[in-house]
Amino acid sequence: MRILAIDTSNQTLSVAVCENNRILGAYTSTVQKNHSTTLMPAISKVMEDSQLKPKDLDRIVVAQGPGSYTGLRIGVTTAKTLAYSLSIDLVGISSLLTLAANCLNMDSLIVPLFDARRNNVYSGAYQYDKVNENWETVIPDQHISMNQWLEKLKDFPSIYFVGEDVEKFRITIEEKLDNAEINKHPQWQIPSGAVLAQLGAGKEPVKEVHHFLPEYLKRVEAEENWLKDHFPGDENYVEKI
């Protein structure tokens, strides 16, 4: 199976073409650029270097979120367009799981983390099942305050934080968790298109490409403000729409 994997969920842009656990071509850039202008050239370059045509692909795997609203829309829209036009499989994978899966041979609870501003984070907790050779979701991805998140994690015996944004919370983590370790491997801090492809290889594709959407986990700020204006003082306003 030939897979094109796309991750534009955050600052890093990562694209890879893989076939049966073999990397045919890959491109990753951590330079902060506009993914809307860099994604398609990156895909074209990787495909050209791999000596493949679009018709040679069997599956598109995309980082579905959470992450940057704009980045997710670009990646998901591109993936949907390619999958639909080529009549091939489309698979979405958690952006946080993609980061966690960098951490090979770790027995700790893996906690990938993205800064969501105002002392909030996007995070989840994962552990690798060595017997069945797959990743298990211990705590589902969520948008949560950092203090609440650390409280949830405090009873786990060993925790391993990974991601470029973890450094912003280092002091808080070290103050509140004695059982935590912060990743020091630079290559694990950013998503890998090849890892994303591997995660998506064995997953069931979406049934309806048109209905596939990013997993934002949080409403955009403008939408939240609108809801608060129209349902002032009502904590259950989300259920009213």
Side-chain angles (χ1 to χ4, degrees):
M1 179 186 292
R2 291 196 183 102
I3 297 173
L4 170 65
I6 300 167
D7 192 332
T8 59
S9 59
N10 286 283
Q11 177 175 319
T12 298
L13 166 65
S14 191
V15 175
V17 177
C18 300
E19 181 179 21
N20 302 328
N21 291 323
R22 185 165 64 98
I23 302 172
L24 303 181
Y27 172 86
T28 298
S29 174
T30 59
V31 178
Q32 191 164 8
K33 294 181 179 179
N34 187 341
H35 293 331
S36 65
T37 60
T38 56
L39 176 57
M40 286 310 299
I43 292 174
S44 297
K45 178 63 175 171
V46 169
M47 292 290 290
E48 180 182 345
D49 290 347
S50 304
Q51 299 182 340
L52 294 175
K53 301 293 184 183
K55 63 180 179 59
D56 297 321
L57 296 172
D58 301 298
R59 172 170 289 196
I60 307 292
V61 179
V62 64
Q64 190 176 1
S68 157
Y69 294 112
T70 302
L72 288 173
R73 283 194 293 267
I74 292 167
V76 168
T77 299
T78 302
K80 288 171 66 174
T81 301
L82 290 171
Y84 179 76
S85 61
L86 296 171
S87 297
I88 58 177
D89 292 346
L90 174 64
V91 170
I93 297 292
S94 162
S95 308
L96 289 164
L97 173 58
T98 303
L99 198 59
N102 285 336
C103 305
L104 302 174
N105 301 316
M106 299 291 295
D107 293 322
S108 302
L109 184 74
I110 307 299
V111 179
L113 180 153
F114 302 145
D115 182 15
R117 299 189 301 172
R118 300 173 183 170
N119 204 42
N120 295 313
V121 296
Y122 296 114
S123 195
Y126 297 88
Q127 199 141 32
Y128 189 68
D129 181 350
K130 295 181 180 179
V131 175
N132 296 308
E133 298 185 335
N134 59 28
W135 284 91
E136 295 183 342
T137 302
V138 179
I139 304 177
D141 295 354
Q142 55 198 282
H143 174 267
I144 189 171
S145 77
M146 189 60 180
N147 290 333
Q148 288 179 312
W149 185 227
L150 295 179
E151 185 67 22
K152 282 190 176 186
L153 297 172
K154 68 179 183 180
D155 294 329
F156 288 92
S158 178
I159 303 168
Y160 194 85
F161 285 90
V162 63
E164 290 186 305
D165 290 341
V166 172
E167 189 61 34
K168 300 176 183 178
F169 302 96
R170 174 184 288 274
I171 294 175
T172 304
I173 292 171
E174 292 177 344
E175 285 178 348
K176 296 195 174 184
L177 294 181
D178 295 329
N179 52 346
E181 182 180 355
I182 295 175
N183 173 55
K184 297 178 182 177
H185 304 287
Q187 68 272 26
W188 288 4
Q189 297 285 63
I190 61 175
S192 162
V195 171
L196 178 60
Q198 186 176 34
L199 290 170
K203 186 176 178 181
E204 285 294 315
V206 301
K207 294 181 178 179
E208 178 51 65
V209 170
H210 291 300
H211 295 163
F212 181 78
L213 296 171
E215 293 286 353
Y216 295 119
L217 298 187
K218 179 181 179 293
R219 297 179 185 277
V220 297
E221 188 171 354
E223 187 177 5
E224 286 192 337
N225 290 337
W226 184 91
L227 289 168
K228 290 176 182 177
D229 288 342
H230 286 74
F231 301 102
D234 187 348
E235 295 180 355
N236 297 316
Y237 63 80
V238 173
E239 299 175 2
K240 296 181 181 297
I241 63 172

